[in-house]
Amino acid sequence: MHDSQPVIRPLDASTLPDFLHFFDHDAFADNPRWAFCYCQFLYVDHNQVNWKARTLDENRTAACDRVGAQRMRGHLAWLDGKVVAWCNAAPRPMMHSFDDEPVADADRIGMIGCFVVAKPYRRRGLARALLRAACDAFAAQGLVCAQALAQRNAGSEAENHFGPLAMYLSEGFVVQSEDDDGVVVLRKSL
């Protein structure tokens, strides 16, 4: 029997052990080549960091350090008493991978980075519940809009790690732009 509603909590020092356990064991069980990330990809400036040279241990340690310094944010979802999903969501200035794409209102934007849902728990509305929690948290922080990315023609669940385009559109996000690779930038006023 599965819990019907997820319990959503922000990532902080008290939930860090659950975050680590999720990433150590369940997050990428079906996509092991991404298991080293610990959701650090968006927090580094790729002009200064060689991402392909980063190791699991470096990223795990960086996640711990960032959470301890309150420089990494997001939300976790629990079902059946364990973490089964994650949404990386933080004020845009924390996500240094966007430093080379400046926007005038960056300090007022909450960025939805990515979603990770354990395979047995997909297609249960967890990403949507996490998205709503992230937008509520952004509004509570005084941010004026949420920004997200989506892959228009995602051919796999892994390619949908930014979140499904249809989910964003149904939650009131509006397309701002799209690049030649089908990456769509969306925004929602909070």
Side-chain angles (χ1 to χ4, degrees):
M1 179 78 179
H2 296 296
D3 297 337
S4 59
Q5 295 296 316
V7 174
I8 308 288
R9 292 183 54 203
L11 176 64
D12 59 24
S14 71
T15 58
L16 179 61
D18 294 305
F19 169 87
L20 293 173
H21 186 272
F22 177 61
F23 275 84
D24 289 344
H25 301 286
D26 302 314
F28 295 106
D30 64 328
N31 188 10
R33 66 176 231 261
W34 286 7
F36 78 101
C37 181
Y38 286 82
C39 267
Q40 296 307 291
F41 183 82
L42 295 176
Y43 288 95
V44 299
D45 181 341
H46 294 269
N47 292 319
Q48 298 178 13
V49 173
N50 179 358
W51 181 252
K52 290 181 181 180
R54 293 285 290 243
T55 67
L56 179 146
D57 289 337
E58 285 175 307
N59 287 330
R60 192 178 195 279
T61 298
C64 293
D65 292 347
R66 283 189 173 96
V67 170
Q70 298 179 348
R71 293 184 295 114
M72 179 179 175
R73 295 194 188 150
H75 291 82
L76 297 158
W78 279 257
L79 279 176
D80 304 327
K82 68 176 188 173
V83 172
V84 296
W86 156 255
C87 173
N88 190 2
R92 184 177 163 131
M94 284 186 183
M95 294 189 173
H96 296 291
S97 68
F98 297 107
D99 287 354
D100 62 349
E101 301 171 19
V103 294
D105 57 349
D107 61 336
R108 300 172 56 188
I109 298 172
M111 192 73 198
I112 307 295
C114 57
F115 294 88
V116 181
V117 179
K119 188 171 179 87
Y121 295 90
R122 292 179 188 155
R123 306 203 189 297
R124 296 185 187 194
L126 293 168
R128 186 177 303 276
L130 287 164
L131 176 62
R132 289 175 178 168
C135 288
D136 289 347
F138 290 155
Q141 294 168 46
L143 301 175
V144 299
C145 77
Q147 184 172 326
L149 304 174
Q151 183 69 40
R152 182 171 296 279
N153 299 312
S156 69
E157 290 176 334
E159 288 177 359
N160 240 349
H161 68 283
F162 292 133
L165 179 59
M167 175 184 68
Y168 288 119
L169 296 174
S170 70
E171 289 294 321
F173 281 74
V174 176
V175 173
Q176 298 293 299
S177 64
E178 183 172 350
D179 70 15
D180 293 338
D181 294 326
V183 176
V184 181
V185 177
L186 302 110
R187 280 197 179 191
K188 177 182 179 175
S189 295
L190 301 173

